[in-house]
Amino acid sequence: RKEVEQDPGPFNVPEGATVAFNCTYSNSASQSFFWYRQDCRKEPKLLMSVYSSGNEDGRFTAQLNRASQYISLLIRDSKLSDSATYLCVVKGDHTGGFKTIFGAGTRLFVKA
Amino acid sequence: DTGVSQDPRHKITKRGQNVTFRCDPISEHNRLYWYRQTLGQGPEFLTYFQNEAQLEKSRLLSDRFSAERPKGSFSTLEIQRTEQGDSAMYLCASTQGANTGELFFGEGSRLTVL
């Protein structure tokens, strides 16, 4: 089983749509959680951290359920510029170390 | 530019040759990570350093791969006796501080093994 698993893509949505990505992780000792965005042929960049209480940044909302080992990302009012690959990221383990694992990514295409 | 820099950006080599990649992290960052990424996949963890100490290495990484960070600043990743399956983008990232710290990536070194 992969340490971080994400929805298989791609997601093709029209502008203005709401889209949700899901992610599960296998290590219950994981400590920190993130969503990164990766544009085609570019390096990954942090989109947002994910907190147990849930957090929102403009049109983006992230949720964490530690009991279910589940992370989600909701994008409202999709823009053409949201087209990218979204990577679920999990950091930390029972040793207290800083190993950081990326999921395979979910590709999003937003069309006019 | 004070971001993470990687060199070379592109490397084409013949099977069986050795290659070395260099990463210069953001200067105040104490942790440095190496990842490998192939088309359609997310970055695959290879190894990471805290200062000069290599704290973890992926079990998937063969003995042909070795990484160093001798002075706790720049790092090198060497691949010996390259195979066609080693063709990938090799990404370096650095970070500082708490477990919640953001990883800052370089633009990567693309390896093609013929």
Side-chain angles (χ1 to χ4, degrees), chain A residues 64-85:
Chain A
L64 167 65
N65 184 321
R66 284 187 182 269
S68 302
Q69 294 177 208
Y70 169 88
I71 306 162
S72 66
L73 176 69
L74 185 76
I75 305 176
R76 292 181 299 277
D77 189 23
S78 299
K79 310 292 185 191
L80 294 175
S81 58
D82 293 335
S83 297
T85 297

Side-chain angles (χ1 to χ4, degrees), chain A residues 2 31-32 34 36 38 41-46 49 51 87 89 91-93 95-105, chain B residues 31 33 35 37 40-45 48 50 55-56 59 91 95 97-108 110:
Chain A
K2 290 185 178 180
Q31 298 169 13
S32 303
F34 310 87
Y36 277 68
Q38 187 171 25
R41 301 186 181 278
K42 297 286 189 181
E43 71 275 19
K45 293 185 178 179
L46 179 67
S49 301
Y51 304 116
L87 299 161
V89 182
K91 182 187 284 189
D93 57 28
T95 69
F98 298 97
K99 180 179 176 182
T100 305
I101 303 296
F102 285 71
Chain B
R31 287 199 295 281
Y33 296 73
Y35 291 87
Q37 187 172 29
Q41 298 298 312
E44 176 191 3
F45 173 81
Y48 86 97
Q50 180 150 310
L55 296 188
E56 190 157 352
R59 288 190 291 270
L91 293 165
T95 188
N99 209 11
T100 53
E102 175 181 357
L103 286 182
F104 292 87
F105 282 86
E107 293 181 303
R110 181 170 294 283

